[in-house]
Amino acid sequence: HVQLVESGGDSVQPGGSLRLSCVASGDTIGRYCMGWFRQIPDKEREGVAGLEQPGVAEIASDGTPTYADSVKGRFTISKDNATNTMYLQMNNLKPEDTSMYYCLAWGIKDAYCYTTSPASSDFVYLGQGTQVTVS
């Protein structure tokens, strides 16, 4: 079982920057897809069902990133397979970026993950979240 621990969330002023980190343990992340997801506003559903999908930023096992239109040019996702860590560099933050940010890892059993979504994967792991507040 994979455990994901996020850090780096904080309160910042508009235009500020933050760097989120997600450290994985229990398995290596090289085969997984990973991403950063936001909580659906005013929704009490827990787990993956309570998250906006697709994520604000996702990264495939080969390092190919994808971004939501709202964060393109401002956020950069990356990962370091050697340290089992994924990052999200957030620049020019806006009040609408305020949310709880969750780290997800998902994939296909015995295969590398490229374009599979969490809903179509064989397994999904979810962190506890880190709060980002921009005001």
Side-chain angles (χ1 to χ4, degrees):
H1 182 73
V2 173
Q3 290 186 323
L4 303 172
V5 179
E6 303 98 328
S7 62
D10 205 344
S11 295
V12 297
Q13 294 182 345
S17 297
L18 286 173
R19 190 190 196 201
L20 306 185
S21 298
C22 172
V23 179
S25 61
D27 195 5
T28 56
I29 64 173
R31 294 183 294 110
Y32 295 175
C33 289
M34 299 187 72
W36 294 94
F37 291 69
R38 291 172 175 166
Q39 184 76 40
I40 296 173
D42 301 323
K43 294 291 185 182
E44 297 181 357
R45 300 175 69 178
E46 296 183 353
V48 178
L51 305 178
E52 296 178 344
Q53 298 189 43
V56 295
E58 301 181 12
I59 188 164
S61 59
D62 63 356
T64 301
T66 57
Y67 299 97
D69 288 342
S70 61
V71 306
K72 284 181 180 177
R74 299 189 298 121
F75 291 9
T76 302
I77 189 170
S78 61
K79 65 172 182 168
D80 184 340
N81 290 340
T83 61
N84 251 19
T85 305
M86 178 181 64
Y87 303 97
L88 185 66
Q89 178 66 43
M90 312 168 75
N91 297 329
N92 190 23
L93 282 160
K94 303 177 180 181
E96 52 264 40
D97 295 320
T98 295
S99 184
M100 184 73 82
Y101 284 72
Y102 291 88
C103 169
L104 259 69
W106 67 95
I108 304 298
K109 183 180 179 182
D110 299 327
Y112 284 82
C113 180
Y114 294 104
T115 59
T116 304
S117 68
S120 301
S121 60
D122 289 336
F123 53 83
V124 181
Y125 301 111
L126 173 67
Q128 293 299 309
T130 186
Q131 178 68 39
V132 172
T133 302
V134 186
S135 63

